[in-house]
Amino acid sequence: MEGEKSMRKCLIVCSIFLFMLAGCVQPKVIDDINIMSAVGYDSHKGDKVKGTIVIPVYKTDKSISNEQFTAIATQSKAINRKAQQKSADPLENGSIEVVLFGKELAEKGVIEIIDTLERDAKIGSHLLVAVSEGKASSILNKRLGNRGTGTYLNTLLRHNMKTRELPRNNLHLFLFSYYSRVKDPFMPYIELEEDDKVNVKGVALFKDDKVVSYLEEEKMFFFKALMENFRNGSYTFRVEDNFVTLFSLTLNRDYKIKNAMTNPEINIKINLEAHIREFSGDKLDPKMIKKIEKRFSKIVEKSCEEMLYDFIEQEIDPVGIGLLAKTQTRKFDYKKWEEAYPKSKVNITSEVYVSETGIVE
């Protein structure tokens, strides 16, 4: 009996506690709030920032349109507050899928805005961030896709990261690189084309929180090759008088960094397995396949080496060579690495194996 009484008391206390907790949470009806799906920031007159907020509007015929709110403020924190003054319903930012930075603002610096996003507990660290050619508002003012502009941009970027040549990136990874002393951040670089489609134009490279240069589309494959092991992707090149397209590229790479504190030697080995999708020539025999493998190997070595030397000259490290050097060097010293990095020598070796020739054979 005493055990039953104790159990009842425990259940009553728990019920009261849960009831009190439920009373502290404000219920929110989805029809009574505006859910933000995308936000863009652009440089405005003086030191002001213009924010563009996109709200998906779900219609009775199951189609989706967009509603935009804009606000101008000196600090990004005030943009949301000013936008709230224009909205008939509360603006909720917990479902933002992508944040865009206009090119002019990105070249001035984005950390004040990034810091605001980071400190908001409602915003997830896997939020996608990107730099837009021109103004971010020029993209967000368009009706893109059939599931809303925010979802369209999010899907576009994730698709290019998963199956194409865009390296993985999000708010968390950007912040990791920004706060690291041995790696610099980057963001996808997108543009609005004449047919109102958005194209992944390349990659925006940062020094601290400012964009300092851009990698164009044709260099993205080699950038990703230096950044991460991956599967998929494609590349077209010329062998003698023939054009070849390799696809379903499976890539693995291995780094060895010597003398990191004095005269760094960056040794990278890249192994690729690929299929031939297209071949413009008449005959694809074993001899030609060997030529294709050798030619593409040379292209990978030359392109990756030139890219790394370009980064060294700009004194940026988006690949994270310093991070790798830190893991391979005892008593790693940040200051010595910063002094030694501009003197780095790069050696890239590549092995390419064509495993399938498909129907072209």
Side-chain angles (χ1 to χ4, degrees), residues 20-33:
M20 291 173 65
L21 281 177
C24 296
V25 178
Q26 279 190 317
K28 293 182 180 179
V29 181
I30 194 167
D31 290 335
D32 296 335
I33 60 176

Side-chain angles (χ1 to χ4, degrees), residues 128-129 155-170 188 224 228 230-231:
L128 297 185
V129 289
T155 304
L156 171 78
L157 293 171
R158 290 194 186 280
H159 157 68
N160 277 272
M161 290 177 195
K162 185 176 180 180
T163 64
R164 304 302 300 172
E165 293 78 35
L166 184 64
R168 291 182 301 112
N169 193 44
N170 53 41
K224 188 165 185 173
E228 60 190 69
F230 68 94
R231 185 177 180 85

Side-chain angles (χ1 to χ4, degrees), residues 91-348:
L91 294 171
E92 292 294 329
N93 61 3
S95 295
I96 297 176
E97 298 183 82
V98 63
V99 171
L100 298 185
F101 298 94
K103 183 176 182 179
E104 184 180 349
L105 177 64
E107 291 176 357
K108 289 182 178 179
V110 299
I111 193 58
E112 190 265 324
I113 296 170
I114 291 285
D115 183 68
T116 301
L117 297 172
E118 178 192 10
R119 292 176 185 277
D120 193 328
K122 294 180 182 178
I123 295 176
S125 60
H126 294 288
L127 169 75
L128 297 185
V129 289
V131 176
S132 66
E133 170 71 22
K135 292 187 177 295
S137 59
S138 65
I139 293 178
L140 296 184
N141 287 335
K142 297 290 184 180
R143 180 180 175 181
L144 302 172
N146 54 15
R147 290 180 292 172
T149 296
T151 300
Y152 170 86
L153 292 171
N154 182 282
T155 304
L156 171 78
L157 293 171
R158 290 194 186 280
H159 157 68
N160 277 272
M161 290 177 195
K162 185 176 180 180
T163 64
R164 304 302 300 172
E165 293 78 35
L166 184 64
R168 291 182 301 112
N169 193 44
N170 53 41
L171 178 63
H172 171 75
L173 293 174
F174 181 92
L175 286 167
F176 172 80
S177 298
Y178 175 76
Y179 288 116
S180 170
R181 295 179 61 182
V182 285
K183 192 175 188 298
D184 291 303
F186 69 91
M187 286 186 191
Y189 182 39
I190 64 176
E191 65 176 346
L192 182 68
E193 297 188 328
E194 292 181 359
D195 59 355
D196 285 349
K197 297 292 185 183
V198 175
N199 175 50
V200 178
K201 184 179 175 67
V203 176
L205 303 173
F206 285 72
K207 177 70 174 177
D208 296 325
D209 72 322
K210 299 178 177 65
V211 172
V212 293
S213 64
Y214 301 88
L215 283 180
E216 297 301 319
E217 181 183 358
E218 60 269 16
K219 295 183 179 180
M220 286 172 58
F221 172 84
F222 306 106
F223 184 55
K224 188 165 185 173
L226 291 168
M227 292 286 295
E228 60 190 69
N229 297 339
F230 68 94
R231 185 177 180 85
N232 294 319
S234 64
Y235 193 82
T236 300
F237 57 100
R238 191 166 184 162
V239 178
E240 296 178 346
D241 294 327
N242 306 307
F243 285 97
V244 181
T245 298
L246 298 181
F247 84 112
S248 193
L249 291 153
T250 302
L251 183 146
N252 294 285
R253 80 247 196 280
D254 180 61
Y255 283 81
K256 284 187 173 58
I257 301 169
K258 301 177 180 178
N259 307 321
M261 299 294 93
T262 53
N263 294 290
E265 294 180 18
I266 303 167
N267 299 293
I268 306 172
K269 184 176 182 181
I270 299 174
N271 296 313
L272 295 114
E273 181 180 341
H275 303 168
I276 296 178
R277 169 177 281 172
E278 295 178 1
F279 178 67
S280 64
D282 296 328
K283 189 176 181 181
L284 189 59
D285 55 20
K287 185 177 180 181
M288 178 54 70
I289 291 172
K290 286 295 180 184
K291 287 183 179 180
I292 290 170
E293 290 174 340
K294 187 175 181 180
R295 172 64 179 151
F296 190 51
S297 178
K298 293 292 184 184
I299 290 172
V300 171
E301 291 172 2
K302 184 174 184 291
S303 300
C304 289
E305 190 172 298
E306 287 178 350
M307 184 176 292
L308 280 177
Y309 275 124
D310 189 41
F311 293 159
I312 291 168
E313 185 178 346
Q314 296 180 67
E315 295 187 7
I316 59 174
D317 185 11
V319 173
I321 300 296
L323 196 63
L324 294 161
K326 183 174 180 292
T327 63
Q328 297 181 12
T329 306
R330 289 185 179 182
K331 297 181 180 180
F332 183 87
D333 185 284
Y334 290 100
K335 188 173 181 181
K336 287 182 179 179
W337 169 253
E338 289 172 2
E339 294 172 352
Y341 179 62
K343 299 181 287 184
S344 297
K345 292 182 179 180
V346 178
N347 179 40
I348 309 274

